[in-house]
Amino acid sequence: MSGFGTNDLTSKDILSYVALGDSFTEGMSDPYPDSDSVPNGRYRGWADRVAEHLADAVGEVRYANLAVRGRLIRQIVDEQLPRAVELSPDLITLCAGGNDIIRPGADPDAVAAVFAEAVAELSRTGARIVVFTGFDTNWQPVMRHMRGRIATYNMHLRAIADRYGCDVVDVWSMRALDDARAWNWDRLHLSPEGHRRLALRVCEVLGVPADGDWNEPWPPAEPRDWRAARQEDLHWAREFLVPWIHRRLTGRSSGDDVTAKRPGLEPLRRER
């Protein structure tokens, strides 16, 4: 640990970084560019990209990513938080609760209470903590009905961040992510370009230098007629929505046989 308080820590003081969360932080749908398939089932994602930007800034950063796809907030607290405390890093990113909030009948107040417990425990490490608001689903017709629930959770997250002095990455306000090209075909995970833009936004919040503009306008999209859009909706429902509902009903998760891709603080060096 650097020994700096939360508000005193700068990018030059961040020599170790631990990421906690679910598929969002694991980096799903962002395969490494030097492989046609995901190497050993592992993805890159915005957190790996942030660690790379940190390494560019300071020469070397020790980085752990404990996130596992499908994890609910209580699982993240029980499985990942103790390890993060043990590692005692300079920087912690925490994004949790999304899988809870999108479930039918979810209570954002109850989920936020667990999130507050996690932040309280992590804050005792002295690390700089970054938390994330939920996405605005207004652009997604099938998931638009969840918008109010997500907004309520976001207000809780902001209050918790204020209470413990956390940085906030306001993903809700990132209108660049309203474009379908920022998302994978399943409409829940960011595309490689979405992950790239989010990493740049995180670096902006941290004050870490990084080339690129997360809010750069997208090039004009190719026109689509309503028939093509309808076919895409049907394909999405058949290939993703139905299997997702089935897993929920049977108590299974996409992460049942998955472990953290970087369970320890491993060196990540600047590319020469």
Side-chain angles (χ1 to χ4, degrees):
M1 279 292 297
S2 65
F4 288 83
T6 301
N7 295 327
D8 299 322
L9 200 64
T10 68
S11 63
K12 292 182 179 180
D13 301 313
I14 300 173
L15 301 178
S16 55
Y17 165 35
V18 174
L20 292 79
D22 51 32
S23 59
F24 172 74
T25 302
E26 184 186 344
M28 283 188 70
S29 303
D30 184 19
Y32 280 89
D34 59 352
S35 175
D36 293 333
S37 60
V38 180
N40 299 319
R42 297 182 180 182
Y43 292 91
R44 189 183 187 187
W46 65 265
D48 284 23
R49 291 169 181 267
V50 168
E52 292 162 10
H53 289 306
L54 280 168
D56 287 340
V58 301
E60 178 179 298
V61 63
R62 291 180 300 127
Y63 167 52
N65 189 318
L66 309 180
V68 175
R69 67 196 73 169
R71 289 300 190 259
L72 300 172
I73 190 167
R74 179 53 70 183
Q75 293 173 310
I76 292 171
V77 170
D78 292 344
E79 299 170 7
Q80 300 176 27
L81 189 143
R83 178 60 173 160
V85 171
E86 177 187 359
L87 293 173
S88 189
D90 301 306
L91 171 68
I92 296 172
T93 57
L94 173 64
C95 185
N99 288 324
D100 301 79
I101 293 298
I102 64 176
R103 290 190 168 206
D107 180 359
D109 299 342
V111 179
V114 181
F115 192 93
E117 293 175 16
V119 174
E121 180 68 21
L122 293 172
S123 68
R124 286 192 273 274
T125 67
R128 182 174 182 176
I129 301 172
V130 180
V131 301
F132 299 74
T133 65
F135 295 102
D136 185 354
T137 58
N138 190 48
W139 69 278
Q140 299 189 31
V142 180
M143 299 180 66
R144 190 174 293 154
H145 69 282
M146 301 177 185
R147 196 178 187 221
R149 195 187 308 160
I150 296 170
T152 299
Y153 188 54
N154 285 349
M155 294 305 294
H156 280 299
L157 295 183
R158 285 192 167 279
I160 294 165
D162 286 345
R163 190 184 316 156
Y164 293 100
C166 305
D167 293 293
V168 177
V169 177
D170 187 9
V171 182
W172 178 280
S173 69
M174 291 179 66
R175 297 277 71 90
L177 299 184
D178 289 350
D179 193 291
R181 288 169 289 184
W183 298 86
N184 184 41
W185 70 271
D186 64 12
R187 305 182 187 181
L188 274 183
H189 299 110
L190 292 171
S191 66
E193 177 62 13
H195 279 286
R196 186 189 73 86
R197 288 177 182 251
L198 182 59
L200 291 174
R201 179 71 180 105
V202 176
C203 286
E204 184 178 82
V205 170
L206 290 172
V208 174
D211 292 334
D213 178 9
W214 65 266
N215 204 27
E216 179 184 0
W218 292 86
E222 295 183 4
R224 295 186 309 151
D225 63 26
W226 67 269
R227 295 178 184 84
R230 177 60 174 166
Q231 283 300 116
E232 288 183 7
D233 287 342
L234 292 173
H235 175 74
W236 174 78
R238 181 178 65 253
E239 300 296 329
F240 175 76
L241 183 59
V242 172
W244 183 85
I245 292 173
H246 180 71
R247 288 197 302 270
R248 299 288 81 75
L249 293 175
T250 57
R252 294 187 296 111
S253 166
S254 58
D256 283 345
D257 299 317
V258 179
T259 57
K261 63 181 181 180
R262 293 179 69 100
L265 286 171
E266 302 171 14
L268 187 66
R269 296 178 178 85
R270 178 173 56 200
E271 294 292 333
R272 298 293 182 180

